[in-house]
Each structure stands twice: as structure tokens, then as C-alpha cells.
Amino acid sequence: MNFAATIAKACPGLKLTTEPSVLESHGRDWSDLEGGAPLAVAFPNSGEEVRQLVLAARQTATPLVPSGGRTGLSGGAVSLGGEVVVSFERMRRIGDYDPVDRTVTVEPGAITQSVQQFALEQGLYYPVSFASEGSSHIGGNIATNAGGIRVLRYGLTRDRVAGVKVVTGRGDLLDCNRGLVKNASGYDLRHLFIGSEGTLGLVVEATLRLVDPPPPSRVMLLAVQDMNSVMNVFRRLQSSLALSAFEFLDDRSMFHVRRAYQLPGPLEEDSPWYVITEFDCDGEADEQAALACFESCLERGWVSDGVVSQSERQIAELWRYREGIAESVAPLAPYKNDLSVRISRVPEFLSRLQGLLSEHYPAYDVLRYGHIGDGNIHLNILRPEHVSRQEFKDRCEDISQKCYELTAQLGGSASAEHGIGIIKAPWLGTTRSEAEIEMMRGIKNVFDPDGIMNPGKIFERPG
Ligand code: MLT
Ligand code: ZN
């Protein structure tokens, strides 16, 4: 029996479609990577239906690709051809809120922004926040250990997951950690699934920890003269203000975001670098502290100008300069890098990265931006019109090789928050050792002995 017949027998009510437009839309993600057509797309309604899908996949040797909001940038949700895509669109329930535990239990298809909204309605806060939160699913966030702009204060998705139910590639349902705060009973399997990009199993439920809502805040946008000053400003601000985000962007990022959204310049004059930071501001004393920080940065020559939000509307307007970058260049199909180093190594990393880019690729339009307060730098390289797609790709891969070598020298990571997916799979070994990769393959083998779970992701396909 083939997959369709097997699953129809095991789970007669399950929706499975081969409609070409659905195969097309659900076989790709925001990475725009060309994959291949999936065999079908399944829309399970429950954890049990997901389990039946995995069992049917095992029985018929059919690979599965999990599909959330498909906002990933490394091709983790792209079909390579012939897989069954498992969409979690029908598993969106947000419920089982516990005010004592301060947790909420959700299905994997719950939209990140809906969880944030739900938390606010309980007088609490779900702090994982990033530009695609209106489309991304919690299951996908868990699969990639999503980060975003508030990692500085609240950590990553990993830090919010109090429990996770998964169906492994063997078809077992595991209930990992069950919302416990303390649990020293052996390996914490929950953490293996977080960031595993669907290669070990499928998340069917997650229990998320909520936190107190932050106090009122302000956003400050600063014009910074050089890269070293970005980190000097960070240290200065961090010593006096309670920062919840500290982001940077360069002049090219500012240029593209302004052009795409027809935004006015945030300051009177353009600057080579900008910082956007959000800090708690609950009255006169906090305002004075912010002003004093700004003035001391000005005196030291690190900053030449700046603006502080005066309203909620201005907070949103200032964030637009940072959060709009990725979307502003998306139509130009940039070549993306998502690198991280320890925060203390950021100044050296940035300056060596700069040396590398200007020595080897002076003619390329490179956007540098990111979550500098947690050591995460995004590089987006744009293809000059006169360079063919193939030549561009080859050149970018040269750049990547050099960037990854530098990242490895500084003890960093080839993927900070976008995952490895298909796109970064050839580079996995640049910042993970052979021994680590061997262990990872061994773990995959335990949870997914038939290799049906999101094949070709994280690990390159043989041949
Ligand atoms: C961001 O920080 O804007 C996102 O990670 C998306 C991106 O880097 O393109
Ligand atoms: Zn990012």
C-alpha cells in the first residue's frame, strides 16, 4: 500500500491534498529556495493524527517535512521533492493557561503573535519577538529555537519552553518535562527537540512560560560613527539603563528600508551606523539617566545625534527602521548570513569582517544589521545587476567560506538563529566539530531510524 492508502485506512478523517497550488505554497518557505514538488500535504487535527502520519510514513518509507508559518530563511521547511508536508494550520489551539505556573499550553500551529496577545490578556507577557511573528508558528519557533530582538533580556525560545510533546520519527509520543521547573531525572529530552528543525520528531504541543509584562519603555535611535563605538555605546547604556533590546544597522540597511517604505531619515544627517535600543523608562529618574547616557556618548564622540521616542506611535516608527530591513530587501533575493560570536568578541569580529569584505568584495552592496546586544550579526549581500545569478552564488559562497573561517577562529556559530536547514547544511562543519556532528547523527538515528524526518536538513544528503 502507498502512503495515501495507508493513512486513509489508519485515519479516515485526515485531510490530505495533492492540489497543485497547495503543493506549491506548502513546499517552500521565505528562503525562496527552489526545492521539488511534495507528494502531498497533510493537515492533521490532533497529536494522534500526527502519530498516525509518522507511522504511515515509516511503513511506506515516505519522508515528511514539517510546515509551520514557513517564515524560515534557511530552507528548513522546503520540500526537496517527493515528501509529504505536514502542515500544522489546523492545530492552532491556545489554551490551558495556568496562572500559578504562569504557563500556557498551545498547539504547534499557534501563531507567535496570537500567543503574545493571549499572554497580554492574562496580564502577562510572551517575550519572544521578531519581524515575522505575525505569521510564524510556535512549532517552527521551537524547531529553530527562534531568537529575535528581546534575547538580550529574556533569552531564546528554548528559555520559554517548559514542556513539549513530540511524536518521534519512530512514532512514539513523548511528553517531555511536563511544565516542571525542577526535573533532575536524567536527560532533558525537551532540549534535544528545540532547535532540531524537525529532524528528530514533530512537536504536537508546547507549554510556554510567560513572564511579567515589562514596565513602560522608550526607544532610542542613535547615529554612531564607527563600529567600535557601537559596542562602547552598548557598554555605556547597559551600565545605567535596563535594556530590553540593543540592535544595530549600517547605512546600507537604512538606505534600503527607507527606500522600500518611503520613510524619512530618522535624524538630520545620515550616519555610517545606527543603534536602536529599547529601555525601561518609568518616570523622571529613568528619563534623566537616558539623557545622561546620551550626553556622555556624545562627549566621547561615539554618537553624533539621536532621538528618543515620545509616544507608543514613535516607538513603532523607530522600530520600523530595524524590523523592516529583511522585508525591504526580500524582493532582491539577498544572500544571507546569520553569524554569532560571544558578545565580548563582537568588536573584533566586526572589524575583521569589515576588513574581509572591503578587501575581497568592495563592489558588493552588503547590509550589516542585527541583534548586536546578543552577538548576532546578519549580513545580506545583494546581487549587482551585471553579475549573473550563478556567478553571484559562487562569489557569495567564497565570502561565506571566509566569514565562517573567521567566525570559527573567534569561537562563533555559522547560524545564530535562522537554523541550518538546507542552505547552511554544507557549512555545518565550519563551526561544529566532526565529533559533535557524529554525535548529532547518532542522536538522529535513535529518534529517526528510517531517516524520514525532514531529510536533507541540518545534515547534507549523501551524494
Ligand atoms: C532579522 O533580524 O531581521 C531577522 O532575523 C530576519 C533577517 O535577518 O533577515
Ligand atoms: Zn534576526
Side-chain angles (χ1 to χ4, degrees):
M1 256 197 302
N2 67 15
F3 179 84
T6 310
I7 193 66
K9 188 159 175 246
C11 231
L14 187 131
K15 182 179 168 197
L16 190 77
T17 181
T18 53
E19 223 239 276
S21 65
V22 182
L23 296 185
E24 161 69 20
S25 60
H26 286 65
R28 53 196 316 156
D29 64 16
W30 283 12
S31 67
D32 249 358
L33 193 74
E34 291 288 338
L39 190 69
V41 182
F43 295 89
N45 254 320
S46 65
E48 178 53 21
E49 287 193 351
V50 174
R51 204 175 70 83
Q52 293 299 337
L53 275 168
V54 172
L55 292 175
R58 272 199 95 174
Q59 229 174 303
T60 58
T62 307
L64 300 175
V65 177
S67 172
R70 300 190 301 281
T71 58
L73 297 165
S74 298
V78 171
S79 160
L80 287 164
E83 305 97 325
V84 169
V85 170
V86 182
S87 165
F88 290 96
E89 278 161 43
R90 292 184 156 195
M91 293 178 67
R92 298 216 144 145
R93 205 173 69 89
I94 299 176
D96 294 341
Y97 165 64
D98 191 311
V100 176
D101 292 327
R102 308 216 307 174
T103 56
V104 59
T105 298
V106 307
E107 289 187 323
I111 306 274
T112 314
Q113 206 167 54
S114 311
V115 175
Q116 293 167 348
Q117 188 54 39
F118 179 89
L120 289 178
E121 285 158 16
Q122 318 310 315
L124 292 172
Y125 187 62
Y126 184 67
V128 178
S129 174
F130 42 82
S132 58
E133 65 197 18
S135 312
S136 78
H137 291 190
I138 290 294
N141 295 357
I142 293 174
T144 54
N145 188 21
I149 60 171
R150 310 260 173 225
V151 172
L152 180 65
R153 176 175 292 174
Y154 299 102
L156 296 138
T157 297
R158 180 182 302 287
D159 302 295
R160 308 266 57 88
V161 178
V164 72
K165 276 191 193 160
V166 293
V167 174
T168 70
R170 293 163 46 121
D172 298 319
L173 177 71
L174 303 184
D175 190 357
C176 305
N177 200 55
R178 304 179 302 282
L180 297 172
V181 176
K182 286 189 163 180
N183 181 1
S185 58
Y187 306 141
D188 192 339
L189 300 179
R190 158 185 56 154
H191 287 297
L192 274 182
F193 289 95
I194 302 169
S196 66
E197 302 186 40
T199 61
L200 304 179
L202 303 175
V203 173
V204 294
E205 192 181 281
T207 299
L208 305 172
R209 252 181 239 301
L210 308 178
V211 295
D212 282 327
S217 65
R218 299 249 176 135
V219 169
M220 183 150 61
L221 183 146
L222 300 169
V224 182
Q225 289 318 294
D226 50 57
M227 281 175 314
N228 280 342
S229 299
V230 172
M231 291 316 275
N232 290 337
V233 172
F234 178 52
R235 274 199 301 275
R236 176 67 188 87
L237 265 54
Q238 211 181 22
S239 68
S240 308
L241 304 175
L243 304 182
S244 60
F246 188 90
E247 303 272 316
F248 87 126
L249 55 143
D250 66 359
D251 52 350
R252 297 308 300 160
S253 309
M254 182 59 89
F255 168 80
H256 285 285
V257 79
R258 282 185 56 195
R259 193 175 64 166
Y261 302 109
Q262 301 290 302
L263 301 177
L267 302 167
E268 262 173 32
E269 288 187 12
D270 292 344
S271 169
W273 300 91
Y274 300 87
V275 155
I276 298 184
T277 181
E278 187 157 343
F279 56 97
D280 297 350
C281 190
D282 204 4
E284 182 79 25
D286 291 338
E287 275 173 36
Q288 288 308 324
L291 191 64
C293 280
F294 174 65
E295 279 168 358
S296 80
C297 290
L298 213 55
E299 273 160 27
R300 288 173 164 84
W302 298 334
V303 156
S304 58
D305 198 0
V307 57
V308 179
S309 64
Q310 300 301 327
S311 63
E312 285 299 316
R313 202 177 120 197
Q314 222 184 348
I315 288 184
E317 282 169 6
L318 291 176
W319 269 120
R320 188 105 168 104
Y321 292 107
R322 167 64 188 88
E323 295 221 287
I325 300 171
E327 236 178 290
S328 74
V329 290
L332 306 173
Y335 185 94
K336 281 175 171 291
N337 274 310
D338 165 40
L339 309 166
S340 69
V341 291
R342 285 170 62 153
I343 303 164
S344 58
R345 306 210 79 164
V346 165
E348 181 186 357
F349 185 53
L350 277 178
S351 97
R352 289 177 65 182
L353 204 55
Q354 174 61 27
L356 198 153
L357 291 169
S358 36
E359 184 186 339
H360 298 282
Y361 313 98
Y364 278 37
D365 193 5
V366 181
L367 283 66
R368 286 157 296 176
Y369 59 93
H371 320 284
I372 199 80
D374 61 42
N376 180 185
I377 291 132
H378 296 307
L379 285 187
N380 280 216
I381 308 168
L382 301 180
R383 182 171 65 87
E385 264 173 26
H386 64 275
V387 175
S388 73
R389 280 180 200 285
Q390 189 54 49
E391 189 188 337
F392 178 63
K393 185 169 175 278
D394 294 345
R395 295 285 282 162
C396 287
E397 286 183 354
D398 278 356
I399 302 180
S400 283
Q401 182 61 45
K402 292 191 172 69
C403 287
Y404 292 140
E405 280 165 14
L406 171 61
T407 309
Q409 278 170 29
L410 298 183
S413 170
S415 178
E417 60 171 4
H418 293 172
I420 293 290
I422 300 172
I423 296 177
K424 304 283 185 258
W427 311 99
L428 180 66
T430 56
T431 58
R432 302 298 299 259
S433 70
E434 262 178 46
E436 278 184 299
I437 295 172
E438 201 188 314
M439 290 290 167
M440 283 161 60
R441 283 189 190 279
I443 290 167
K444 172 148 173 85
N445 222 9
V446 170
F447 287 98
D448 177 27
D450 304 324
I452 55 167
M453 304 308 288
N454 216 7
K457 319 294 161 59
I458 302 186
F459 311 102
E460 261 188 302
R461 262 190 172 172

